[in-house]
């Protein structure tokens, strides 16, 4: 069904999650005014503070409301000193990945014009890769199930299944194909693993190449995770689409965010066959929360990913155009020096950046050529 109006579950969470969500919603208002793409919002609270007050991490109908929405826009949840009785972190976003089977954690690492490059090499301005973090199994399958055998030993077990690896590989090949068509990227999928040491990774690689054989138009390769950590610092501009196991993706996507200016610039999408959740890569950032200083760019770009995904799913060219316009407006705001966020030494806070991007959209400054 073609549609330009969507129902989204808005889950701001806590800490800077609430602040950056405000900026993203201002941008969505501008999108509605300029492109006629409307997002009716159902706000669902939740997180660690909510848990402290109510004993639950989400309202009783919270998961259902998220499930019923066309997409979920998520800020950040979790707080260092509010924990479950066993000492583990409150992380509803992890629960949602498992519950809604959001197997593909898509984390674009793209250099934004005007943001000072972290690497000295002039090619740093060309960084444009995507980490696809498997998000429902791997090492995280052991979450809450690990064993402390006695005071001398503990263990967690990694799980890799054929079904999820096939889905992850298919998703990655399709993503590389689409990026090549739309952005002129090289169309190369590189599996990141540790197949030289662990059987589970050897299995993952075997399944990956079975799927690669069915996608001969896209180049397939592999890289060991330790070498990838090195090469993401040495030559990140050489990579395109990087599927990997959950914990590897957790770690390398923070490294990737570091390459493009910090956590505030990194968007993400958690995609399943039925649902999509969109949130910045960062957490609640208690160290800067409540000051209005958080950089909302990752959150705003996550909203763009949401519109792009909705546009693809529902055949809405307007939603896809709006997504592109958000990305261009971000590039323009930073590239033309209209804003400089606090995390890169500037003075512009959350609201000012949201307003600059929203204004560029409203004025049509970033419409497609
Ligand atoms: P989580 O485990 O929940 O992902 P984390 O412990 O990795 O969270 P973050 O909350 O992401 O931590 O914060 C990591 C660092 O990045 C902190 O120094 C924080 O201030 C900074 N940071 C995070 N988000 C932003 C943002 N939007 N703007 C500026 N700095 C940020």
């Amino acid at each position: 069904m073609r549609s330009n109006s969507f129902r989204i579950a808005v889950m701001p969470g806590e800490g800077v999650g609430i602040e950056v969500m405000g900026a993203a919603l201002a941008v969505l208002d501008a999108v509605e005014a300029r492109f006629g793409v409307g997002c009716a919002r159902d706000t669902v609270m939740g997180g660690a503070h909510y848990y402290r007050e109510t004993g639950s991490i989400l309202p009783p109908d919270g998961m259902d409301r998220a499930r019923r929405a066309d997409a979920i826009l998520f800020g950040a949840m979790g707080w260092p000193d509010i924990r479950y009785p066993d000492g583990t972190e409150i992380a509803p976003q992890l629960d949602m990945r498992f519950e809604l089977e959001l197997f593909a954690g898509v984390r674009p690492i793209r250099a934004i014009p005007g943001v000072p490059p972290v690497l000295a090499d002039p090619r740093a301005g060309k960084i444009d890769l995507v980490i696809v973090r498997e998000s429902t199994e791997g090492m995280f399958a052991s979450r809450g199930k690990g064993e402390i055998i006695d005071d001398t030993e503990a263990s967690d077990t990694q799980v890799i299944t054929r079904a999820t690896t096939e889905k992850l590989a298919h998703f990655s090949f399709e993503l590389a194909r689409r990026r090549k068509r739309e952005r002129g990227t090289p169309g190369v999928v590189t599996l990141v693993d540790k197949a030289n040491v662990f059987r589970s990774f050897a299995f993952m690689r075997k399944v990956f190449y079975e799927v690669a054989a069915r996608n001969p138009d896209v180049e397939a390769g592999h890289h060991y995770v330790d070498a990838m950590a090195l090469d993401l610092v040495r030559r990140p501009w050489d990579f395109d689409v990087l599927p990997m196991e959950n914990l590897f993706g957790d770690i390398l996507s923070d490294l990737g965010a570091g390459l493009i200016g910090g956590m505030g610039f990194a968007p993400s999408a958690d995609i399943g066959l039925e649902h999509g959740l969109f949130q910045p890569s960062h957490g609640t950032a208690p160290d800067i929360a409540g000051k209005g200083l958080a950089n909302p760019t990752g959150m705003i770009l996550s909203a763009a990913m949401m519109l792009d995904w909705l546009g693809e799913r529902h055949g809405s060219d307007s939603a896809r155009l709006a997504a592109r316009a958000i990305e261009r407006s971000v590039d323009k705001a930073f590239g033309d020096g209209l804003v400089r966020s606090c995390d890169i030494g500037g003075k512009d806070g959350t609201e000012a950046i949201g307003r600059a991007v929203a204004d560029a959209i409203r004025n049509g400054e970033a419409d497609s050529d």
Side-chain angles (χ1 to χ4, degrees), residues 26-266:
V27 169
L28 288 180
D29 287 342
V31 158
E32 180 154 18
R34 180 84 196 164
F35 294 92
V37 175
C39 290
R41 300 159 195 174
D42 175 23
T43 304
V44 181
M45 295 314 291
H49 289 89
Y50 189 89
Y51 171 79
R52 188 161 65 185
E53 281 154 30
T54 67
S56 308
I57 55 171
L58 293 175
D61 61 352
M63 194 66 86
D64 275 346
R65 282 157 66 195
R67 202 187 283 280
R68 279 199 304 270
D70 293 319
I72 303 155
L73 194 60
F74 195 101
M77 294 186 190
W79 206 255
D81 51 3
I82 307 177
R83 303 220 164 204
Y84 289 118
D86 68 358
T88 57
E89 230 179 282
I90 288 156
Q93 61 276 24
L94 294 183
D95 301 322
M96 293 184 79
R97 286 174 198 158
F98 280 80
E99 180 81 25
L100 303 177
E101 295 182 54
L102 307 173
F103 63 90
V106 184
R107 279 120 188 255
I109 305 295
R110 182 181 70 89
I112 295 172
V115 176
V118 173
L119 301 178
D121 192 299
R123 288 171 290 183
K126 297 202 176 343
I127 296 173
D128 184 1
L129 62 89
V130 185
I131 288 173
V132 186
R133 167 186 175 183
E134 196 293 312
S135 300
T136 57
E137 54 184 42
M139 201 62 205
F140 280 67
S142 188
R143 184 172 168 248
K145 299 180 190 157
E147 238 188 309
I148 299 191
I149 294 143
D150 55 34
D151 208 31
T152 60
E153 196 180 333
S155 79
D156 279 291
T157 306
Q158 155 150 311
V159 177
I160 302 283
T161 67
R162 166 174 285 279
T164 301
T165 305
E166 284 183 351
K167 280 192 293 187
L168 189 79
H170 272 298
F171 184 93
S172 301
F173 284 106
E174 192 49 47
L175 178 64
R177 190 175 289 119
R178 185 169 172 220
R179 276 165 53 82
K180 185 175 181 179
R181 192 171 63 236
E182 294 178 1
R183 308 174 82 97
T185 45
V188 181
V189 179
T190 308
L191 177 71
V192 179
D193 65 29
K194 192 74 184 168
N196 50 338
V197 177
F198 298 103
R199 286 182 183 154
S200 58
F201 282 122
F203 173 73
M204 187 179 197
R205 189 184 287 189
K206 168 176 152 326
V207 175
F208 169 78
Y209 276 112
E210 287 172 13
V211 177
R214 301 200 285 276
N215 290 273
D217 58 316
V218 180
E219 199 180 318
H222 58 263
H223 219 72
Y224 293 125
V225 64
D226 42 346
M228 185 54 86
L230 176 71
D231 282 339
L232 277 179
V233 175
R234 222 166 45 157
R235 51 182 188 96
W237 41 84
D238 283 344
F239 298 102
D240 185 6
V241 175
L242 305 177
M244 61 189 76
E245 181 272 333
N246 208 337
L247 183 58
F248 290 171
D250 185 27
I251 297 165
L252 291 185
S253 53
D254 273 26
L255 191 159
L259 293 175
I260 54 159
M263 296 308 291
F265 288 101

Side-chain angles (χ1 to χ4, degrees), residues 301-347:
L301 291 173
S302 302
M305 292 175 79
M306 177 184 80
L307 289 174
D308 184 63
W309 181 76
L310 286 168
E312 281 288 302
R313 256 175 105 77
H314 297 272
S316 165
D317 290 339
S318 305
R320 278 190 297 247
L321 281 176
R324 188 80 190 106
I326 295 177
E327 199 178 295
R328 285 174 183 233
S329 301
V330 165
D331 287 6
K332 193 168 167 45
F334 282 93
D336 291 357
L338 305 177
V339 289
R340 199 173 162 87
S341 50
C342 303
D343 50 356
I344 51 169
K347 292 196 168 26

